[in-house]
Every structure is written in C-alpha cells, then in structure tokens.
Amino acid sequence: MILRLAFASLLARSLTVGMTILAIALSVALFLGVEKVRTGARASFADTISDTDLIVGARSGSVQLLLYSVFRIGNATNNVTWKSYRDIAARPEVAWIVPISLGDSHRQFRVMGTTAEFFVRYKYRGGRSLAFAQGRGLGDLYDAVVGADVAATLGYSVGDPIVVAHGLASFSEHADQPFRVAGVLAKTGTPVDRTVIVGLEAIEAIHVDWKSGAKIPGQTTPVEAIRQMDLTPTAITAAMVGVRSRLQVFQLQRWINQYPEEPLLAVLPGLALQELWQIVGVAETALVGVSAMVVITALIGMMAMIFASLNERRREMAIFRAMGARPTTILGLFVLEAALMAAVGAMLGAALLYAALAVAQPWIDAAFGLWLPLEPPGAREVPVLLGVVGAATLVSLIPALRAYRLSLADGMMVKI
Amino acid sequence: MTGTDRILVLEDVRFRWPGRASFSLNVPRFAVNGGETVLLLGESGSGKSTLLSLICGIVVAEAGSVRVCGTDLASLAPGARDRFRAEQIGVIFQQFNLLPYATVRDNILLPLRFAPGRRARAGDAGAEAARLCAALGLAAELLTVPAGRLSVGQQQRVAVGRALIGRPLLIVADEPTSALDAGTQNAFLDLLFARCREGGTSLLMVSHDERLGARFDRVLDLSGIATTGRMAA
C-alpha cells in the first residue's frame, strides 16, 4: 500500500517528477552510450587485425611497427631485405606470409604493395574477410584496389586511372606508369579503408627508373620493357605471418628476433594493440568521467526537486503521522520515492539508448566503422543501472532526513 | 470493556514545548469514559493543539501521566507510541484530512497500515471501507476516486470513515465542522454521532462553537481543565 501511495504521490506531481525522471534517463542513456562507444571503439580497435599471428618488420618498437604496418601511421626506420623475407617464409612453423611494401602515396592516402594473398589473409573484427564493393582483386601489374574511404573521398570507381606519387608528401609522381582501379573494397572500419593496394611487383615497376629516392634524369624505360623485367623486390617494409600451430608463435618470434643477418622485430598484433590502446585509452577515462558527472548532476537535480517539495508536503507528512506512521516511515517514503524515480529513469535511459542504437547502429558502422553490438544489458550495464538507483537512494537521504526532522517537529499539527 | 471504563485519563500533566519555554500547559485532571462524547470548548491559542498532541502521544508530558485505555503513553518508546496511536485513536482534523492523490479507499485504509491489531478488527478491510462509505452517505463510485477531487464536506466524511475503521476506542476531532456550512455541519454530526454510538467509541471533540454542545454527554471549557502559562518571550 505504501508503494501504491508513493506511486500515486509521484503521479500527482507528474510534471516535476517527469522532468526529474527525464533528466536521469538522459544522463543514464549518455553514460551507457559512452560506455558502449568506449567498449565498441576498444573492440573495433582490437579487431583492426585478427588471425595474424606475427607482424615482422625492421627492428624498432612494437608500437611503432604496429603503427606503420597496420595503421599506416609514421614510417619504417628500415626495410626488411627480400632474403630475410624468404628465410622467414621458409621456416617450418610458417603457414603463410604476406609481404607489405609502403612508402608511396596517392593524394592523402598511403599506397601499399602486397600480394593477392593479402585479400585472403587479412582478417578484421574476429575473422571477417575483406569484401569487394565493386570490381575484383589485383590481376594486371598496374591494377589497384582502393579502400572504401579512398573511393568515397576521391570519387573513384572501377576503371578510373590513378597516378601514384613518390614518397608521402612529394610532388614527384610516377606519372609515366598510371594504375587503373580494379576494385573497390567494402567499408571495414580499419585502416584498409584509407589505403590504395597495388601489387608488390608494381611497387618495383614504378621505381625502375629511380635511384636513392630520385628519378634518374633522362631515363624512361618503356612499360612494355618493364613488363618483361624480373620485378622481384629487393626489400619490403613488413610482413604478416600466420603459423601452423599457435604453440609455435613464440618459437618463431624468438627465431625472428634473433635472426643473425639483419635486426628484425616480430610482434604479436594483439599484444601490441593492447600496448597502443594504453596510450590512446587515457581519453576514454576522461569521457567516462564527464558522463559520470552528468549522472551526478541529474541526481543532484532530483535532490533539489525533493527539497523544493518538502514544504508543500508537510501537511501530507502530518496526516501520515496522525495515522500512526513513525518519522522513520516518512523518511522511508521519501527514499522510496527517490528510488522509484531513479529506477524508472534508469530503465527509461537504457530503453532510450537501445532505441537509439537500434536506429543508428548500421549508420555508425558505415560512417565510422564502429560496430556497437546490440546486446541485452550485461555485466557492464546492470551495475551502472543499479548504481544509479543506489546513488539516488543515498542522495535522497539528505532531503529525507530533513523531512524526518520536520515531521518530528510538526507532529500532526501543521500551521500553514 | 464496559461503557464506564476510563478511556482517557490525564493526571497532573505538565508540558512545555521543547525550545519554546514561553508556553506551558498544565492539566490537573481530565478523563473521558468509554462510549462518552465530550466537547471541549476553547478558542485557538488556548492550548487545544498541545492537548490533542499529548493525548495522541505525539508529544510526551514532562510530569504527570496521560493514560489511554489504561496505558501510560510516557511508558512507551516513540515508535510504540506511534503504533499505539494507530491502534487506538482515530483522528479527524479541521480540514485537509486526506492525502489528495490517494483514492478514498486508500485514505480510509491508511491507519490500518500502521496498526495490525486494528486491521484484524476491521476484518475484510476493503468491504469495511465500502460499508463505512455507504453509512456515511458516500456513493460507492467515490471509493476509487482520488480524495482531492471530493468536496470539503465529502472529504470530512471520508475522514470520519478513516477514523472509525477498525473500531478504535477513542476518536479525537479537532474542529471537524468549522470548514462546513451550517446545513452540512448538522448532517455531518448526525453521521459522526451515529457511527460512534454504533461502535461504542468515545468521542473527544475540540471546538469553539458552543451551539454544538447540546449533542454531547458533557461539555467542558478548556480553560476549566487546563491552565496555560505564557511568559513574554
């Protein structure tokens, strides 16, 4: 009956109570939303590359290797010679190996030379393969496959010509050997979206007339002659490696790291990603802090609302007292009302978030490559919701104690 | 319990509001018998609110004893006093008796929530509430209507129903008719007296209206039983 009365009392003040609940609901939705984006971003980040056991490059730091080989940020300090690559590929532990050659660019996007196997071996988001939105993979020497962002930004479709620039921010272009867009990849939410992929031989081909980063003056080898040449590279930037058995990962990693002929570095992408996230992750803590403040603000608003209602409810408290309610019952009534408001607010907030998520999920995935899974409230959300109700209960004790003292002083007679 | 037993006995009661030393109330002796109806006449400021608070156990006397149905209220812990009030006393105020947002039925049943013994006496509480409503001339449809929508006269009758449910031994009424017009006043008092007689309930009413006196077994002047002290603050 007390619960029913509390409900009726809240309903009778539906405008202020509704506003308070709305504030709580919005703050809860924001908090859960930030949590969702945070975990989604972290998962998307960790899912940038999967099913690759080792990434091999010239010796530097593991984060640096990851940054340039997977995220195409920064540059390699050194290359890996083709011989080293062959030696690693020949190891019995190696199931597959995909070479990556970086260094050139097209407009603001990086150009990556690799083999056709890249499209098979590169996996993201827990084993998803690359898919073609248009066209097909690398066939001809001068074929290029562009990522979704490249195609969207530059308006490319299959058949369009591409001229690759030498280096990352230079005006010297490989204009003599234009590429042709053979395929456009579907959006992945990974750095592949911002990459132009060409064959490893093509990288060699466009550098035939180049030496030490500059074009040899007056020398222009005809394309027909280039096609006849042996275009095996002398060096690559990095390589993705898959092992036959996961148990052999560390064995192979040790072998590569101790490779005597050249200083190499092999990293486990998962570990390196975690290391990198620890650097990036500081921002997420700030984000969570801000949204927690919003929840606290909403709860303080509720407290102010209860305080404001105290005076006009003195009569009501006196009636309860006259009917034999103890002052503690009055206190309990106020706390119960606050808990009810918070519970309704929290549930409404969660519902709001799920509704928004259901609508915006595909769009967020397409626009940001951020996959926010629509799961029932779990180990992450339920404590948050309970925490909000608990905090509301706690906060409401302050006005409830005031109500307690008022009802003690007023007794059953209120002179209004 | 027979009709001549003392329902309420005050002896040598002295009271001062804590923190308000300027006002004090002394009641040498005052008693209400079982089934008796007593009218206390007094203007506001004559200490009637304080007296009712003492009788209901909201406040406790400094000296002397307040016995309700044989129990000295001062001997009870605060929580037990609240429970005792719920069990034994029905209270009717001048006006604004009811929780406006709660239904008439919930308002009538409210004291039972704090008084298990009274709830047991009421039997089927819902049916008893309906019976009281009918006896007080309230339409059955009103039971589920929020009390705030009723007229003042109807609200006062609901308050009577609430005071009577579960047959408490004493009903304390503080100017219950002052908010009603003359015609409604008489009808209201007829109902109140009839219900009290029916249940053998004692009625202690405080009012400044002497014309009501004829209906009561006894009419006392508040200044005759209680002396108030008022010092310049």
Side-chain angles (χ1 to χ4, degrees):
Chain A
M1 173 162 183
I2 291 292
L3 191 70
R4 188 162 72 235
L5 288 179
F7 259 121
S9 167
L10 288 175
L11 239 110
R13 292 171 285 135
S14 50
L15 188 67
T16 48
V17 168
M19 289 298 177
T20 307
I21 288 177
L22 189 68
I24 294 173
L26 286 178
S27 73
V28 166
L30 178 71
F31 188 84
L32 289 180
V34 165
E35 271 296 294
K36 206 87 187 159
V37 168
R38 193 173 71 95
T39 48
R42 172 177 251 170
S44 285
F45 186 79
D47 283 348
T48 305
I49 183 164
S50 58
D51 292 4
T52 295
D53 296 310
L54 287 173
I55 294 174
V56 182
R59 189 162 301 162
S60 54
S62 56
V63 169
Q64 195 195 357
L65 174 54
L66 188 77
L67 279 177
Y68 71 71
S69 65
V70 176
F71 291 93
R72 327 241 190 279
I73 297 169
N75 292 302
T77 44
N78 215 334
N79 281 339
V80 178
T81 63
W82 189 248
K83 180 178 179 303
S84 305
Y85 170 78
R86 294 300 326 154
D87 285 351
I88 297 166
R91 289 289 300 173
E93 299 96 335
V94 174
W96 55 265
I97 182 162
V98 173
I100 292 170
S101 192
L102 299 158
D104 286 338
S105 64
H106 174 67
R107 306 285 188 95
Q108 68 268 46
F109 300 107
R110 300 279 180 117
V111 172
M112 180 180 82
T114 185
T115 59
E117 205 178 357
F118 177 82
F119 298 97
V120 183
R121 296 302 180 185
Y122 181 83
K123 299 277 173 62
Y124 67 103
R125 202 182 285 171
R128 281 214 206 182
S129 295
L130 296 172
F132 284 93
Q134 266 183 55
R136 50 182 178 75
L138 303 172
D140 185 67
L141 180 63
Y142 293 108
D143 272 356
V145 170
V146 296
D149 287 354
V150 179
T153 310
L154 303 178
Y156 285 158
S157 56
V158 171
D160 288 346
I162 285 186
V163 172
V164 172
H166 186 75
L168 299 178
S170 83
F171 297 102
S172 46
E173 294 192 319
H174 300 285
D176 50 335
Q177 297 177 56
F179 286 81
R180 190 190 67 92
V181 176
V184 176
L185 291 171
K187 181 93 181 171
T188 63
T190 70
V192 172
D193 294 343
R194 304 179 53 77
T195 306
V196 175
I197 300 168
V198 299
L200 200 58
E201 294 81 9
I203 297 284
E204 279 308 303
I206 56 179
H207 293 108
V208 161
D209 296 327
W210 292 60
K211 202 172 171 67
S212 308
K215 201 167 192 310
I216 301 163
Q219 184 177 326
T220 307
T221 315
V223 170
E224 291 71 33
I226 290 174
R227 282 185 186 278
Q228 304 306 317
M229 291 166 77
D230 173 22
L231 293 171
T232 305
T234 55
I236 57 169
T237 312
M240 292 157 50
V241 178
V243 292
R244 285 184 205 286
S245 156
R246 297 226 114 191
L247 299 171
Q248 298 168 330
V249 170
F250 295 101
Q251 189 186 328
L252 181 65
Q253 186 187 25
R254 198 163 49 244
W255 184 85
I256 293 169
N257 285 340
Q258 292 170 354
Y259 186 66
E261 314 196 10
E262 189 179 15
L264 295 177
L265 175 70
V267 299
L268 285 86
L271 278 180
L273 277 166
Q274 255 178 32
E275 230 174 282
L276 185 54
W277 183 257
Q278 278 170 5
I279 303 165
V280 181
V282 181
E284 71 172 357
T285 316
L287 210 58
V288 171
V290 168
S291 49
M293 288 303 286
V294 175
V295 174
I296 291 169
T297 309
L299 291 181
I300 290 175
M302 180 191 75
M303 185 169 79
M305 186 279 254
I306 297 175
F307 261 122
S309 74
L310 273 186
N311 231 358
E312 63 192 65
R313 297 183 69 189
R314 283 169 85 166
R315 182 78 225 168
E316 186 184 327
M317 291 188 268
I319 293 167
F320 269 105
R321 289 283 284 140
M323 291 308 114
R326 299 174 189 193
T328 44
T329 310
I330 308 276
L331 181 119
L333 198 66
F334 275 82
V335 173
L336 177 70
E337 283 186 13
L340 279 175
M341 280 191 276
V344 173
M347 283 190 290
L348 195 68
L352 220 62
L353 174 72
Y354 279 107
L357 215 54
V359 173
Q361 186 187 40
W363 177 76
I364 292 172
D365 189 25
F368 303 108
L370 192 59
W371 180 249
L372 303 177
L374 202 61
E375 296 159 341
R380 206 167 273 280
E381 288 86 359
V382 171
V384 170
L385 296 178
L386 290 180
V388 167
V389 177
T393 309
L394 217 62
V395 157
S396 73
L397 273 175
I398 302 167
L401 276 170
R402 172 135 179 80
Y404 174 91
R405 279 199 298 273
L406 271 177
S407 74
L408 260 185
D410 286 348
M412 42 183 224
M413 313 292 170
V414 183
K415 306 276 190 294
I416 299 175
Chain B
M1 187 172 284
T2 66
T4 53
D5 280 335
R6 299 268 161 91
I7 285 297
L8 174 68
V9 183
L10 279 77
E11 273 179 324
D12 301 325
V13 170
R14 266 192 305 143
F15 177 76
R16 250 194 308 232
W17 283 102
R20 274 184 279 167
S22 59
F23 181 81
S24 67
L25 182 78
N26 294 293
V27 184
R29 185 172 170 81
F30 172 61
V32 175
N33 295 324
E36 191 181 22
T37 55
V38 177
L39 177 67
L40 278 181
L41 288 172
E43 296 301 322
S44 55
S46 57
K48 93 195 153 152
S49 299
T50 308
L51 182 64
L52 293 184
S53 291
L54 276 166
I55 291 169
C56 290
I58 294 275
V59 294
V60 182
E62 229 166 55
S65 72
V66 178
R67 292 178 173 275
V68 177
C69 310
T71 304
D72 187 354
L73 293 182
S75 70
L76 300 174
R81 267 205 308 279
D82 290 330
R83 164 93 185 269
F84 187 81
R85 170 170 67 254
E87 293 281 9
Q88 307 295 0
I89 304 175
V91 181
I92 306 169
F93 295 118
Q94 192 168 351
Q95 56 176 329
F96 309 119
N97 264 292
L98 310 176
L99 301 174
Y101 50 80
T103 62
V104 167
R105 188 206 306 275
D106 278 349
N107 266 294
I108 292 177
L109 297 180
L110 186 60
L112 303 187
R113 169 66 182 71
F114 306 105
R118 199 167 153 188
R119 180 199 296 272
R121 268 177 281 157
D124 180 352
E128 178 66 5
R131 190 190 70 80
L132 280 167
C133 264
L136 291 164
L138 294 165
E141 301 89 75
L142 291 179
L143 276 169
T144 51
V145 169
R149 290 203 208 141
L150 269 56
S151 72
V152 177
Q154 284 172 322
Q155 288 195 26
Q156 288 305 84
R157 277 184 275 164
V158 173
V160 172
R162 186 183 61 186
L164 284 166
I165 194 161
R167 297 177 188 275
L169 290 168
L170 176 64
I171 286 186
V172 172
D174 180 9
E175 305 232 22
T177 57
S178 65
L180 307 176
D181 58 65
T184 330
Q185 260 183 24
N186 276 321
F188 173 80
L189 287 173
D190 288 343
L191 284 169
L192 178 59
F193 272 83
R195 294 307 125 226
C196 283
R197 246 194 320 278
E198 184 183 272
T201 308
S202 305
L203 173 66
L204 175 64
M205 189 187 287
V206 184
S207 177
H208 63 271
D209 191 349
E210 294 172 23
R211 291 169 301 166
L212 303 174
R215 294 168 175 270
F216 287 83
D217 298 340
R218 270 200 293 160
V219 180
L220 297 169
D221 206 75
L222 192 56
S223 56
I225 62 153
T227 56
T228 57
R230 213 177 268 275
M231 289 165 274

